[in-house]
Amino acid sequence: MDEQVEAQVGEAARTVWDRSVRTVWGRSVMDASWWPLRMLRTPVTWLAVAQAPLAFGLGIFWFVALSVGLLLSFALSALWVGLIMLVAMMAFWRAGAMFERRLLRVTFGLRIEDPYRPLPAGRNVFGKIKAMAADPATWKDLIYLGLLLPIALAEFVVWLCSWSLVGLLVLTPVLVATQGGGMQYVIGPVSLYVHDPLVGLWATLAGLVLAVPALYVTRAMAVAHSLWARVLLGASGSQEENAQLRERAEHLRASRARGVDAVEAERRRIERDLHDGAQQQLLSVAMDIGRARSKLDADPEGARVLIEQAHAGAKEAIVELRNLARGIYPAILTDRGLDAALSGLAGRASVPVEVSVDLPERPPAAVESIAYFVVAEALTNIAKYARATSASVQVTREAGWVVVEIADDGVGGASAEPGGGLAGLADRAATIDGILTVDSPPGGPTVIRADLPCDW
């Protein structure tokens, strides 16, 4: 169970990371908008501007490190130390390629998974070294890092020519005022002499105009660099398909295990509620009726009291059974749908709850049921622990997903601990390959989000 919860938490963490990257950096440089105003507002555009000099510096580092390391390794290959150095260099450039993939994720918003084949289990060091050497991704990493300097140099020259001109033009008034003289610009047949800071404002305007084509040039280089990086740092077609199939199989295995555990836990809860609740009530009713039947002739008044007591117990048992049935699947959810069912939950909540359900049509019953119980558990936790004054429930559609978000202004600190209610909801969502994430820093607010796949 702990491994399943850990897998669910890891999956949720990756989802949160992807959303945070989209929020902070926007789309990747490959698919972000090319409209000038949108480019100016997209952080990944300016990160691409900063990436060219950074890539040039890394290219110099890797050229020197690989040249010196490989030359020494081959020169000493007759000795054991040379072979050890070669193995160390192989591990070193693989680590460098991993760093490049993370750097491209930050600067370009480009996600490239590590394409390496899994290393053999156990402590066989030679087997691991052999597997690394036989992995095509190892040598593609070496080609990428070896070619990084000439490619980054070409990008840096273009970057320097573009942005140095823009920077000089924009800063012309400042340079003229601080130098106490004029500045001479010669661009082809055009010669411009600026001797006054006010006149230099025209040069600043020209620099701002030229910043737009400079952005386009930088963006084009970033896209070309991304394509090149995907070819060498990414997985080949067959590797990527196999990795996706393995990841999908592992995900389905974990989802099935969590689903079985969730169903088993639900069965035990129903058995416990029947045994401790309705069964005891019905047993008490049967005993009262038996005692009343024995007193019916000798003590009619006592029999009447027992019959009334049995009648009250029967009504309580009916209430218990109704609550138990509602816990399995509420009738209002079947009859009137998710909006009405969630409104009913909000009406019984201990704090004011604002409900918003925006779905074009009813999702499947399994999705509705999971969404209902996620909201029910979340509102129960708010009543018990959050000390909140208000809460909100939003259900929306995002592509092929039903997204349920429950937020409150309480004290925060909620977490999906193994065996807890939120972990149980994560397991329930995993039965249909859904993901539950909890964002609840100390001091609040708390946001619980369930992403449930839905075939409309």
Side-chain angles (χ1 to χ4, degrees), residues 349-361:
S350 60
V351 299
V353 180
E354 181 182 350
V355 178
S356 173
V357 179
D358 184 14
L359 298 176
E361 55 186 282

Side-chain angles (χ1 to χ4, degrees), residues 130-403:
K130 182 179 178 181
M132 289 173 58
D135 192 345
T138 300
W139 305 104
K140 289 169 66 177
D141 290 347
L142 178 60
I143 295 173
Y144 176 87
L145 296 176
L147 295 177
L148 184 59
L149 178 59
I151 291 177
L153 176 61
E155 293 177 350
F156 181 71
V157 170
V158 175
W159 176 89
L160 187 63
C161 293
S162 302
W163 290 103
S164 61
L165 177 60
V166 171
L168 282 173
L169 290 173
V170 170
L171 296 176
T172 295
V174 178
L175 295 175
V176 171
T178 55
Q179 291 180 358
M183 293 189 66
Q184 182 78 26
Y185 292 101
V186 179
I187 305 175
V190 179
S191 177
L192 176 63
Y193 180 75
V194 180
H195 63 280
D196 185 86
L198 293 178
V199 177
L201 292 176
W202 290 101
T204 299
L205 180 60
L208 294 176
V209 172
L210 289 177
V212 175
L215 280 176
Y216 276 102
V217 170
T218 304
R219 177 73 173 279
M221 289 194 305
V223 171
H225 193 111
S226 300
L227 293 173
W228 171 64
R230 275 187 173 177
V231 171
L232 290 179
L233 294 181
S236 61
S238 59
Q239 282 182 317
E240 188 171 2
E241 291 175 2
N242 292 337
Q244 290 176 351
L245 289 175
R246 286 196 299 269
E247 184 178 357
R248 179 63 177 167
E250 181 64 22
H251 175 69
L252 290 177
R253 185 199 64 79
S255 297
R256 182 184 63 182
R258 289 195 294 271
V260 170
D261 289 341
V263 171
E264 182 64 20
E266 187 72 10
R267 183 186 66 80
R268 289 196 298 268
R269 184 189 67 83
I270 294 172
E271 289 179 350
R272 184 176 62 251
D273 291 346
L274 283 173
H275 182 271
D276 297 340
Q279 180 178 336
Q280 297 298 326
Q281 291 285 350
L282 292 174
L283 180 61
S284 177
V285 169
M287 294 177 62
D288 288 340
I289 292 176
R291 291 165 58 195
R293 185 175 59 182
S294 64
K295 290 185 177 183
L296 191 60
D297 296 330
D299 187 6
E301 183 63 25
R304 186 182 65 79
V305 172
L306 289 173
I307 290 174
E308 290 180 353
Q309 184 175 333
H311 181 255
K315 291 194 293 184
E316 291 178 2
I318 291 173
V319 173
E320 289 278 350
L321 290 172
R322 184 182 294 117
N323 292 335
L324 181 60
R326 184 182 294 117
I328 298 173
Y329 196 89
I332 189 174
L333 190 58
T334 304
D335 299 336
R336 298 176 57 190
L338 195 58
D339 194 355
L342 296 184
S343 298
L345 286 176
R348 296 192 297 270
S350 60
V351 299
V353 180
E354 181 182 350
V355 178
S356 173
V357 179
D358 184 14
L359 298 176
E361 55 186 282
R362 288 190 65 172
V367 176
E368 279 192 333
S369 174
I370 293 173
Y372 175 86
F373 286 109
V374 166
V375 175
E377 180 68 22
L379 293 181
T380 300
N381 289 343
I382 290 173
K384 288 183 178 180
Y385 313 113
R387 287 182 282 174
T389 58
S390 64
S392 65
V393 176
Q394 290 187 342
V395 183
T396 57
R397 174 183 177 180
E398 291 185 5
W401 298 78
V402 171
V403 178

